[in-house]
Coordinates of all heavy atoms in Angstrom, one line a residue:
Chain B
L61 N 10.5 20.2 -61.6 CA 9.8 19.0 -61.2 C 9.9 18.8 -59.7 O 10.8 19.1 -59.1 CB 10.4 17.7 -61.9 CG 10.3 17.6 -63.4 CD1 11.1 16.5 -63.9 CD2 8.8 17.5 -63.8
P62 N 8.9 18.2 -59.2 CA 9.0 17.8 -57.8 C 10.1 16.8 -57.6 O 10.4 16.1 -58.5 CB 7.7 17.2 -57.4 CG 6.9 17.1 -58.6 CD 7.6 17.8 -59.7
P63 N 10.8 16.8 -56.5 CA 12.0 16.0 -56.4 C 11.6 14.5 -56.4 O 10.6 14.1 -55.9 CB 12.5 16.3 -55.1 CG 11.4 16.9 -54.3 CD 10.5 17.6 -55.4
G64 N 12.4 13.8 -57.1 CA 12.1 12.3 -57.2 C 13.0 11.6 -56.3 O 13.4 12.0 -55.2
H65 N 13.6 10.5 -56.8 CA 14.5 9.8 -56.0 C 15.8 10.6 -55.9 O 16.0 11.5 -56.7 CB 14.9 8.5 -56.8 CG 15.6 8.7 -58.1 ND1 17.0 8.8 -58.1 CD2 15.2 9.0 -59.3 CE1 17.4 9.0 -59.4 NE2 16.3 9.2 -60.1
G66 N 16.6 10.3 -55.0 CA 17.8 11.0 -54.8 C 17.7 12.4 -54.2 O 18.6 13.1 -54.2
A67 N 16.5 12.7 -53.7 CA 16.4 13.9 -53.0 C 17.1 13.9 -51.7 O 17.2 12.9 -51.0 CB 14.9 14.2 -52.7
M68 N 17.7 15.0 -51.4 CA 18.5 15.1 -50.2 C 17.5 15.2 -49.0 O 16.4 15.6 -49.1 CB 19.4 16.3 -50.2 CG 20.6 16.1 -51.0 SD 21.7 17.5 -51.0 CE 20.9 18.5 -52.2
N69 N 18.1 14.9 -47.9 CA 17.2 15.0 -46.7 C 17.0 16.5 -46.5 O 17.9 17.3 -46.5 CB 18.0 14.5 -45.5 CG 17.9 13.0 -45.5 OD1 16.9 12.4 -45.9 ND2 19.0 12.3 -45.1
C70 N 15.8 16.8 -46.3 CA 15.4 18.2 -46.2 C 14.9 18.4 -44.8 O 14.1 17.7 -44.2 CB 14.2 18.5 -47.2 SG 13.3 20.0 -46.9
R71 N 15.4 19.4 -44.1 CA 14.9 19.6 -42.8 C 13.6 20.5 -42.8 O 13.4 21.3 -43.7 CB 15.9 20.3 -41.9 CG 16.3 21.7 -42.2 CD 17.3 22.2 -41.2 NE 17.9 23.4 -41.7 CZ 19.0 23.4 -42.4 NH1 19.6 22.2 -42.6 NH2 19.5 24.5 -42.9
S72 N 12.8 20.2 -41.9 CA 11.5 20.8 -42.0 C 11.1 21.4 -40.6 O 11.3 20.7 -39.6 CB 10.4 19.8 -42.4 OG 9.2 20.2 -42.0
E73 N 10.7 22.6 -40.6 CA 10.3 23.3 -39.3 C 8.9 23.7 -39.4 O 8.5 24.3 -40.4 CB 11.2 24.5 -39.0 CG 12.7 24.2 -39.1 CD 13.2 23.3 -38.0 OE1 12.5 23.3 -36.9 OE2 14.2 22.6 -38.1
V74 N 8.2 23.6 -38.3 CA 6.8 24.0 -38.3 C 6.6 25.0 -37.1 O 7.1 24.8 -36.0 CB 5.9 22.8 -38.0 CG1 4.4 23.3 -38.0 CG2 6.0 21.8 -39.1
L75 N 6.0 26.1 -37.5 CA 5.6 27.1 -36.4 C 4.1 27.3 -36.5 O 3.5 27.3 -37.5 CB 6.3 28.5 -36.8 CG 7.8 28.5 -37.0 CD1 8.3 29.7 -37.6 CD2 8.5 28.3 -35.7
E76 N 3.6 27.6 -35.3 CA 2.1 27.8 -35.3 C 1.8 29.1 -34.6 O 2.4 29.4 -33.6 CB 1.4 26.6 -34.5 CG 1.6 25.3 -35.1 CD 0.6 24.3 -34.6 OE1 -0.5 24.6 -34.1 OE2 1.0 23.1 -34.6
V77 N 0.8 29.8 -35.2 CA 0.4 31.0 -34.5 C -1.1 31.1 -34.6 O -1.7 30.6 -35.6 CB 1.0 32.3 -35.2 CG1 2.4 32.5 -34.9 CG2 0.8 32.2 -36.7
S78 N -1.7 31.8 -33.6 CA -3.1 32.1 -33.7 C -3.2 33.6 -33.7 O -2.7 34.3 -32.9 CB -3.8 31.7 -32.4 OG -3.9 30.3 -32.4
V79 N -3.9 34.1 -34.8 CA -4.0 35.6 -34.9 C -5.4 36.0 -35.3 O -6.2 35.1 -35.6 CB -3.1 36.1 -36.1 CG1 -1.6 35.9 -35.7 CG2 -3.4 35.4 -37.4
E80 N -5.6 37.2 -35.1 CA -6.9 37.8 -35.5 C -6.8 38.1 -37.0 O -5.7 38.3 -37.5 CB -7.2 39.0 -34.7 CG -8.6 39.5 -34.7 CD -8.6 41.0 -34.7 OE1 -7.6 41.7 -34.6 OE2 -9.7 41.5 -35.0
G81 N -7.9 38.3 -37.7 CA -7.9 38.5 -39.1 C -7.0 39.5 -39.6 O -6.2 39.3 -40.5
R82 N -7.0 40.7 -39.0 CA -6.2 41.8 -39.5 C -4.7 41.7 -39.2 O -3.9 42.5 -39.6 CB -6.7 43.1 -39.1 CG -6.9 43.3 -37.7 CD -7.6 44.5 -37.3 NE -7.5 44.7 -35.9 CZ -7.8 45.8 -35.2 NH1 -8.3 46.8 -35.9 NH2 -7.6 45.9 -33.9
Q83 N -4.4 40.7 -38.4 CA -3.0 40.5 -38.0 C -2.3 39.5 -38.9 O -1.1 39.3 -38.8 CB -2.9 40.0 -36.5 CG -3.4 41.0 -35.5 CD -3.4 40.4 -34.1 OE1 -3.7 39.2 -34.0 NE2 -3.1 41.1 -33.1
I84 N -3.1 38.8 -39.7 CA -2.5 37.7 -40.5 C -1.3 38.2 -41.3 O -0.2 37.6 -41.2 CB -3.5 37.2 -41.5 CG1 -4.7 36.5 -40.8 CG2 -2.9 36.1 -42.4 CD1 -5.8 36.1 -41.7
E85 N -1.5 39.3 -42.0 CA -0.4 39.7 -42.9 C 0.9 40.1 -42.2 O 2.0 39.6 -42.5 CB -0.8 40.9 -43.8 CG -1.8 40.5 -44.9 CD -2.0 41.7 -45.8 OE1 -1.3 41.9 -46.8 OE2 -3.1 42.4 -45.6
E86 N 0.7 40.9 -41.1 CA 1.9 41.3 -40.4 C 2.6 40.1 -39.7 O 3.8 40.0 -39.7 CB 1.5 42.3 -39.4 CG 1.3 43.7 -40.0 CD 0.9 44.7 -39.0 OE1 0.4 44.4 -37.9 OE2 1.1 45.9 -39.3
A87 N 1.8 39.2 -39.2 CA 2.5 38.1 -38.5 C 3.2 37.2 -39.5 O 4.4 36.8 -39.3 CB 1.4 37.2 -37.8
M88 N 2.6 37.0 -40.7 CA 3.3 36.2 -41.7 C 4.6 36.9 -42.2 O 5.6 36.3 -42.3 CB 2.4 35.9 -42.9 CG 1.2 35.0 -42.5 SD 1.6 33.4 -41.9 CE 1.3 33.7 -40.1
L89 N 4.4 38.2 -42.4 CA 5.6 38.9 -42.9 C 6.7 38.9 -41.9 O 7.9 38.8 -42.2 CB 5.2 40.4 -43.2 CG 4.4 40.6 -44.5 CD1 3.9 42.0 -44.6 CD2 5.3 40.3 -45.7
A90 N 6.4 39.0 -40.6 CA 7.4 39.0 -39.6 C 8.2 37.7 -39.6 O 9.4 37.7 -39.6 CB 6.7 39.3 -38.2
V91 N 7.5 36.6 -39.7 CA 8.1 35.3 -39.7 C 8.9 35.1 -40.9 O 10.1 34.7 -40.9 CB 7.1 34.2 -39.4 CG1 7.8 32.9 -39.6 CG2 6.5 34.3 -38.1
L92 N 8.3 35.4 -42.1 CA 9.0 35.1 -43.3 C 10.2 36.0 -43.5 O 11.3 35.6 -43.9 CB 8.1 35.3 -44.5 CG 6.9 34.4 -44.6 CD1 5.9 34.8 -45.7 CD2 7.4 33.0 -44.9
H93 N 10.1 37.3 -43.1 CA 11.3 38.2 -43.2 C 12.4 37.8 -42.3 O 13.6 37.9 -42.6 CB 10.8 39.6 -42.9 CG 10.4 40.4 -44.1 ND1 11.3 40.5 -45.2 CD2 9.3 41.0 -44.5 CE1 10.6 41.2 -46.2 NE2 9.4 41.5 -45.7
T94 N 12.0 37.3 -41.1 CA 13.1 36.9 -40.2 C 13.8 35.7 -40.7 O 15.0 35.6 -40.6 CB 12.4 36.5 -38.8 OG1 11.7 37.6 -38.3 CG2 13.5 36.1 -37.8
I95 N 13.1 34.8 -41.4 CA 13.8 33.6 -42.0 C 14.6 34.1 -43.1 O 15.8 33.7 -43.2 CB 12.7 32.6 -42.4 CG1 11.9 32.0 -41.3 CG2 13.4 31.4 -43.2 CD1 10.7 31.2 -41.7
L96 N 14.1 34.9 -44.0 CA 14.9 35.3 -45.1 C 16.0 36.2 -44.8 O 17.0 36.3 -45.5 CB 13.9 36.0 -46.1 CG 13.2 35.0 -47.0 CD1 12.0 35.6 -47.7 CD2 14.2 34.4 -48.1
L97 N 15.9 36.9 -43.6 CA 17.1 37.7 -43.2 C 18.3 36.8 -43.0 O 19.4 37.1 -43.4 CB 16.8 38.4 -41.8 CG 17.9 39.0 -41.1 CD1 18.4 40.2 -41.8 CD2 17.5 39.4 -39.7
H98 N 18.0 35.6 -42.5 CA 19.1 34.6 -42.3 C 19.5 33.9 -43.5 O 20.6 33.3 -43.6 CB 18.7 33.6 -41.2 CG 18.6 34.2 -39.8 ND1 17.5 34.9 -39.4 CD2 19.5 34.2 -38.8 CE1 17.7 35.3 -38.1 NE2 18.9 34.9 -37.8
R99 N 18.7 33.9 -44.5 CA 18.9 33.1 -45.7 C 19.2 34.0 -46.9 O 19.0 33.5 -48.1 CB 17.7 32.2 -46.0 CG 17.5 31.1 -44.9 CD 18.6 30.0 -45.1 NE 18.5 28.9 -44.1 CZ 19.3 28.7 -43.1 NH1 20.4 29.6 -43.0 NH2 19.2 27.7 -42.3
S100 N 19.7 35.2 -46.7 CA 20.0 36.1 -47.8 C 21.4 36.5 -47.6 O 21.9 36.8 -46.5 CB 19.1 37.3 -47.8 OG 17.8 36.9 -48.0
T101 N 22.1 36.7 -48.7 CA 23.5 37.2 -48.6 C 23.5 38.5 -49.5 O 22.5 38.8 -50.2 CB 24.5 36.3 -49.1 OG1 24.4 36.2 -50.6 CG2 24.4 34.9 -48.6
G102 N 24.6 39.1 -49.6 CA 24.8 40.2 -50.5 C 25.0 39.6 -51.9 O 25.2 38.4 -52.1
K103 N 24.9 40.5 -52.9 CA 25.0 40.1 -54.3 C 26.4 39.6 -54.6 O 27.4 40.3 -54.2 CB 24.6 41.2 -55.2 CG 23.2 41.7 -55.2 CD 22.3 40.9 -55.9 CE 22.5 40.9 -57.4 NZ 21.6 40.0 -58.1
F104 N 26.5 38.5 -55.3 CA 27.8 38.1 -55.7 C 28.3 38.8 -56.9 O 27.5 38.9 -57.9 CB 27.8 36.6 -56.0 CG 27.7 35.7 -54.8 CD1 27.5 36.2 -53.5 CD2 27.9 34.3 -54.9 CE1 27.4 35.4 -52.4 CE2 27.8 33.5 -53.8 CZ 27.6 34.0 -52.5
H105 N 29.5 39.2 -56.9 CA 30.1 39.8 -58.2 C 31.3 38.9 -58.5 O 32.3 39.0 -57.9 CB 30.5 41.2 -58.0 CG 29.3 42.1 -57.7 ND1 28.5 42.6 -58.7 CD2 28.8 42.6 -56.5 CE1 27.5 43.3 -58.1 NE2 27.7 43.3 -56.8
Y106 N 31.1 38.1 -59.5 CA 32.2 37.3 -60.0 C 33.2 38.1 -60.8 O 32.9 38.9 -61.6 CB 31.7 36.1 -60.8 CG 31.0 35.1 -59.9 CD1 29.6 35.1 -59.7 CD2 31.7 34.1 -59.3 CE1 29.0 34.2 -59.0 CE2 31.0 33.1 -58.5 CZ 29.7 33.2 -58.4 OH 29.1 32.3 -57.6
K107 N 34.5 37.8 -60.5 CA 35.5 38.5 -61.3 C 36.3 37.4 -62.0 O 36.0 36.2 -61.9 CB 36.4 39.3 -60.3 CG 35.5 40.3 -59.5 CD 36.4 41.2 -58.6 CE 35.6 42.0 -57.7 NZ 34.5 42.7 -58.3
K108 N 37.3 37.9 -62.6 CA 38.1 36.9 -63.3 C 38.8 36.0 -62.3 O 38.9 36.3 -61.2 CB 39.1 37.6 -64.2 CG 40.0 38.6 -63.5 CD 40.9 39.3 -64.5 CE 41.9 40.2 -63.9 NZ 41.3 41.3 -63.1
E109 N 39.4 34.9 -62.8 CA 40.1 33.9 -62.0 C 39.2 33.3 -60.9 O 39.7 32.8 -59.9 CB 41.3 34.5 -61.3 CG 42.3 35.1 -62.2 CD 43.3 36.0 -61.4 OE1 43.2 36.1 -60.2 OE2 44.2 36.5 -62.1
G110 N 37.9 33.4 -61.1 CA 37.0 32.7 -60.2 C 36.8 33.4 -58.9 O 36.2 32.8 -58.0
T111 N 37.3 34.6 -58.7 CA 37.1 35.2 -57.5 C 35.8 36.0 -57.5 O 35.3 36.3 -58.6 CB 38.2 36.2 -57.1 OG1 38.2 37.2 -58.2 CG2 39.5 35.6 -57.1
Y112 N 35.2 36.2 -56.4 CA 34.0 37.0 -56.4 C 33.9 37.8 -55.1 O 34.5 37.4 -54.1 CB 32.7 36.2 -56.6 CG 32.4 35.1 -55.6 CD1 31.5 35.4 -54.6 CD2 33.0 33.9 -55.7 CE1 31.2 34.4 -53.6 CE2 32.7 32.9 -54.7 CZ 31.8 33.2 -53.7 OH 31.5 32.2 -52.8
S113 N 33.2 38.8 -55.2 CA 33.0 39.7 -54.0 C 31.5 39.6 -53.6 O 30.7 39.4 -54.5 CB 33.5 41.1 -54.2 OG 32.9 41.6 -55.4
I114 N 31.3 39.9 -52.4 CA 29.9 39.9 -51.9 C 29.4 41.3 -51.5 O 30.2 42.0 -50.8 CB 29.8 38.9 -50.7 CG1 30.3 37.6 -51.1 CG2 28.3 38.8 -50.2 CD1 30.2 36.5 -49.9
G115 N 28.3 41.6 -51.9 CA 27.7 42.9 -51.5 C 27.3 42.9 -50.1 O 27.4 42.0 -49.3
T116 N 26.7 44.1 -49.7 CA 26.4 44.3 -48.3 C 24.9 44.2 -48.2 O 24.1 44.8 -49.0 CB 26.9 45.7 -47.9 OG1 28.3 45.7 -48.1 CG2 26.5 46.0 -46.5
V117 N 24.4 43.6 -47.1 CA 23.0 43.5 -46.8 C 22.7 44.5 -45.7 O 23.2 44.5 -44.7 CB 22.7 42.1 -46.3 CG1 21.2 42.0 -45.8 CG2 22.9 41.1 -47.4
G118 N 21.7 45.4 -46.1 CA 21.3 46.3 -45.1 C 20.0 45.8 -44.4 O 19.4 44.9 -44.9
T119 N 19.7 46.3 -43.2 CA 18.5 45.8 -42.5 C 17.7 47.0 -42.1 O 18.2 48.1 -42.0 CB 18.9 45.0 -41.3 OG1 19.7 45.9 -40.4 CG2 19.7 43.8 -41.6
Q120 N 16.4 46.7 -41.8 CA 15.6 47.8 -41.2 C 14.6 47.2 -40.3 O 14.1 46.1 -40.5 CB 15.0 48.6 -42.3 CG 14.1 47.9 -43.3 CD 13.7 48.9 -44.4 OE1 14.5 49.2 -45.4 NE2 12.5 49.4 -44.4
D121 N 14.2 48.0 -39.4 CA 13.2 47.6 -38.4 C 11.8 48.0 -39.0 O 11.6 49.0 -39.6 CB 13.3 48.4 -37.1 CG 14.6 48.1 -36.3 OD1 15.0 46.9 -36.5 OD2 15.1 48.9 -35.6
V122 N 10.9 47.1 -38.7 CA 9.5 47.3 -39.2 C 8.6 47.2 -38.0 O 8.6 46.1 -37.3 CB 9.1 46.3 -40.2 CG1 7.7 46.5 -40.7 CG2 10.0 46.3 -41.4
D123 N 7.9 48.2 -37.7 CA 6.9 48.1 -36.6 C 5.6 47.6 -37.1 O 5.1 48.1 -38.2 CB 6.6 49.6 -36.0 CG 7.8 50.0 -35.2 OD1 8.5 49.2 -34.7 OD2 7.9 51.3 -35.0
C124 N 4.9 46.7 -36.4 CA 3.6 46.3 -36.9 C 2.6 47.2 -36.4 O 2.7 47.8 -35.3 CB 3.4 44.9 -36.3 SG 4.5 43.6 -37.0
D125 N 1.5 47.4 -37.2 CA 0.4 48.3 -36.8 C -0.6 47.6 -35.9 O -1.2 48.2 -35.1 CB -0.3 48.8 -38.0 CG 0.6 49.7 -38.8 OD1 1.2 50.6 -38.2 OD2 0.7 49.6 -40.0
F126 N -0.8 46.3 -36.2 CA -1.8 45.6 -35.4 C -1.3 44.6 -34.4 O -2.1 44.0 -33.7 CB -2.7 44.8 -36.4 CG -3.4 45.6 -37.4 CD1 -3.0 45.7 -38.7 CD2 -4.5 46.4 -37.0 CE1 -3.6 46.5 -39.6 CE2 -5.1 47.2 -37.9 CZ -4.7 47.3 -39.3
I127 N 0.0 44.6 -34.2 CA 0.6 43.7 -33.2 C 1.7 44.5 -32.5 O 2.4 45.3 -33.2 CB 1.3 42.5 -33.9 CG1 0.4 41.8 -34.9 CG2 1.7 41.5 -32.9 CD1 1.0 40.7 -35.7
D128 N 1.8 44.3 -31.2 CA 2.9 45.0 -30.5 C 4.2 44.2 -30.8 O 4.6 43.4 -30.0 CB 2.6 45.0 -29.0 CG 1.5 46.0 -28.7 OD1 1.2 46.9 -29.5 OD2 0.9 45.8 -27.6
F129 N 4.8 44.5 -31.9 CA 5.9 43.7 -32.3 C 6.7 44.5 -33.3 O 6.2 45.3 -34.1 CB 5.5 42.4 -32.9 CG 6.6 41.4 -33.2 CD1 7.3 40.9 -32.1 CD2 6.9 41.1 -34.5 CE1 8.3 40.0 -32.4 CE2 8.0 40.2 -34.7 CZ 8.6 39.6 -33.7
T130 N 8.0 44.4 -33.3 CA 8.9 44.9 -34.3 C 9.8 43.8 -34.8 O 10.4 43.1 -34.0 CB 9.8 46.1 -33.7 OG1 8.9 47.0 -33.1 CG2 10.7 46.7 -34.7

Side-chain angles (χ1 to χ4, degrees):
Chain B
L61 289 175
H65 68 91
M68 282 182 277
N69 285 324
C70 164
R71 66 174 165 272
S72 162
E73 307 290 335
V74 179
L75 307 165
E76 296 195 31
V77 284
S78 287
V79 294
E80 197 219 349
R82 51 187 195 170
Q83 295 172 324
I84 297 173
E85 284 189 87
E86 285 181 336
M88 295 302 102
L89 283 171
V91 174
L92 294 174
H93 269 302
T94 301
I95 297 170
L96 276 164
L97 168 70
H98 290 82
R99 292 286 179 250
S100 300
T101 73
K103 296 280 294 178
F104 285 10
H105 295 280
Y106 287 92
K107 304 182 189 312
K108 54 186 190 293
E109 299 166 1
T111 61
Y112 62 98
S113 54
I114 305 183
T116 301
V117 172
T119 57
Q120 57 188 80
D121 291 332
V122 181
D123 287 337
C124 295
D125 291 316
F126 297 105
I127 313 174
D128 286 343
F129 188 69
T130 301

